[in-house]
Amino acid sequence: MEITRIRSGHGDPAAIEALLPELLAFDTLINRASGLGEDFDPNPEDLRHSLTSTSRYRSYLTWLGRLDGVIVAKGVAELQLTSNTDTAELWCGVHPDHRRHGLGSALLTVMEDDLAAEGRTALTSYCEISESVRTADLRGAHLAAETGAGTLPAAAPEVSFLSRRGYGFAQIERCSVAPTATAAELDLDADDDYVIETWRGPVPEERLEHIALLKRRMSTDTPGAEKFGGEESWDGERVRALDAEKKARGEEMATALAILGGEPAGFTQVGHSAARPTVGWQGGTLVRKEHRGHRLGARLKVANHRSLAEHSAVERVYTWNAVENSWMLAINDQAGFATWAWVGLWTKDLR
């Protein structure tokens, strides 16, 4: 298998554009084989961004494996550039017709060697298992997450592959989906001093540092955060850079922010794009530890879904939550979310 590499922002633009249709076809095939459904098919702008973007905050490496000139395997790694510079989040996939021939292992070995050479020794990865696949094998052997909460079928190809390659099964997340209208109809108003603001698009100037603080706390205050790197550096400039990146990818963010006494207490965000206007993707949701116990997580989500229902074409939203995060799962259940898939989060230390 011939393996080539593309570092985001360093490839020939014309060659990248010529490559996009082939990559879109490959990624779509991988997704359909996973059983996750059309909503998870690749977005052309997201794919183009991972190949062409330049940023002071993060970059991407893409590996392509070919047999007789045809792509049969692909790997991607996201690299932070201003904090956690020893980490990399990676994924690799193999064409269904070419699996169980060692191509995935060969590609992952090259990826790990390349990342280690750049000082990226703390690796994370993930696998996605549809709800139907997991429930079909409830009586078979299951592998438990290191958190002690949640399992995945050990015989699932994605699970056995990462396990054999020395990755530890750190955590499992539940992927759920809900109609936007369901949460929008809930009445969770409370008699307290919290004020919830909503907006669509870029963060208002006066809220830049508030969102930066909450994003910084996201990297330390969510369940299991310590397993996936240290605190991330965020300031207003980085928030504005992320806004620009979202715009370049054709994505709009719907945000709800809770304020108490002029200070940020929590937030939630949902992204959606013109390429798939009826589908929303839950971004970060966080209530600062000192503000928990006031149902702010639920109130923020309801407010954001109301905004989406009123100002967008989004009909359904997908969200991800750690299985041990029972309080947020209860909020999602109340808001009408139903299980769609399971995501295993994996770690490996190359040192």
Side-chain angles (χ1 to χ4, degrees):
M1 180 173 61
E2 178 189 7
I3 297 176
T4 57
R5 301 158 183 79
I6 303 172
R7 189 178 296 272
S8 59
H10 290 75
D12 175 65
I16 295 297
E17 285 300 315
L19 180 63
L20 276 175
E22 187 179 8
L23 285 179
L24 281 169
F26 179 85
D27 288 353
T28 300
L29 182 69
I30 294 295
N31 178 61
R32 296 300 175 86
S34 74
L36 293 177
E38 294 182 15
D39 285 351
F40 287 75
D41 282 351
N43 182 321
E45 289 305 320
D46 286 342
L47 181 56
R48 180 179 285 108
H49 176 81
S50 70
L51 296 169
T52 63
S53 67
T54 56
S55 167
R56 58 174 290 199
Y57 299 106
R58 63 179 176 180
S59 67
Y60 299 88
L61 268 174
T62 299
W63 293 259
L64 301 178
R66 295 180 182 271
L67 288 177
D68 299 323
V70 177
I71 296 176
V72 294
K74 176 187 173 185
V76 179
E78 180 179 337
L79 312 175
Q80 294 198 53
L81 302 178
T82 58
S83 55
N84 296 319
T85 55
D86 62 335
T87 68
E89 179 180 319
L90 58 88
W91 169 91
C92 69
V94 176
H95 191 294
D97 293 343
H98 294 273
R99 291 174 181 171
R100 301 188 182 279
H101 297 290
L103 299 182
S105 291
L107 179 62
L108 188 54
T109 296
V110 170
M111 293 171 66
E112 291 176 351
D113 288 346
D114 288 349
L115 292 169
E118 296 192 11
R120 305 280 177 169
T121 55
L123 307 184
T124 62
S125 190
Y126 64 91
C127 64
E128 298 170 303
I129 308 292
S130 68
E131 168 70 345
S132 60
V133 169
R134 185 172 184 269
T135 55
D137 193 21
L138 287 178
R139 294 188 176 184
H142 273 233
L143 185 65
E146 294 169 5
T147 60
T151 67
L152 287 176
E158 301 88 344
V159 174
S160 60
F161 173 71
L162 287 168
S163 182
R164 290 197 313 271
R165 290 291 312 184
Y167 286 76
F169 182 22
Q171 189 179 55
I172 185 170
E173 292 183 338
R174 188 180 85 176
C175 171
S176 309
V177 61
T180 311
T182 302
E185 292 174 355
L186 294 176
D187 183 8
L188 294 180
D189 294 334
D191 184 18
D192 56 34
D193 293 327
Y194 288 98
V195 176
I196 295 180
E197 302 175 354
T198 61
W199 66 82
R200 292 159 56 238
V203 177
E205 194 70 25
E206 68 274 15
R207 298 304 182 206
L208 280 174
E209 294 302 329
H210 289 171
I211 295 299
L213 170 62
L214 292 167
K215 284 186 172 291
R216 191 161 60 246
R217 293 286 291 269
M218 275 284 295
S219 65
T220 59
D221 289 8
T222 54
E226 68 281 356
K227 291 179 175 290
F228 304 103
E231 182 177 87
E232 296 181 3
S233 58
W234 280 91
D235 55 19
E237 183 180 355
R238 184 173 181 182
V239 173
R240 189 58 80 221
L242 181 60
D243 283 343
E245 179 183 310
K246 297 288 186 184
K247 182 178 180 180
R249 291 162 55 183
E251 184 177 11
E252 182 174 79
M253 300 300 292
T255 303
L257 172 69
I259 299 288
L260 179 66
E263 293 297 318
F267 83 126
T268 189
Q269 292 184 307
V270 171
H272 59 97
S273 68
R276 202 161 291 140
T278 59
V279 181
W281 304 100
Q282 182 69 54
T285 297
L286 177 75
V287 175
R288 294 171 67 181
K289 291 179 179 178
E290 55 268 37
H291 294 281
R292 292 174 185 170
H294 302 278
R295 304 182 74 192
L296 278 180
R299 290 158 63 184
L300 283 163
K301 287 197 171 187
V302 168
N304 214 26
H305 280 229
R306 285 175 179 168
S307 177
L308 286 165
E310 182 177 356
H311 299 294
S312 78
V314 174
E315 297 175 355
R316 56 195 174 277
V317 173
Y318 290 89
T319 189
W320 290 260
N321 301 98
V323 170
E324 65 268 28
N325 195 351
S326 57
W327 59 275
M328 185 58 74
L329 291 176
I331 289 170
N332 288 342
D333 290 341
Q334 185 178 10
F337 280 89
T339 302
W340 184 259
W342 301 90
V343 181
L345 303 179
W346 303 74
T347 62
K348 183 176 183 177
D349 192 337
L350 296 181
R351 291 172 296 179

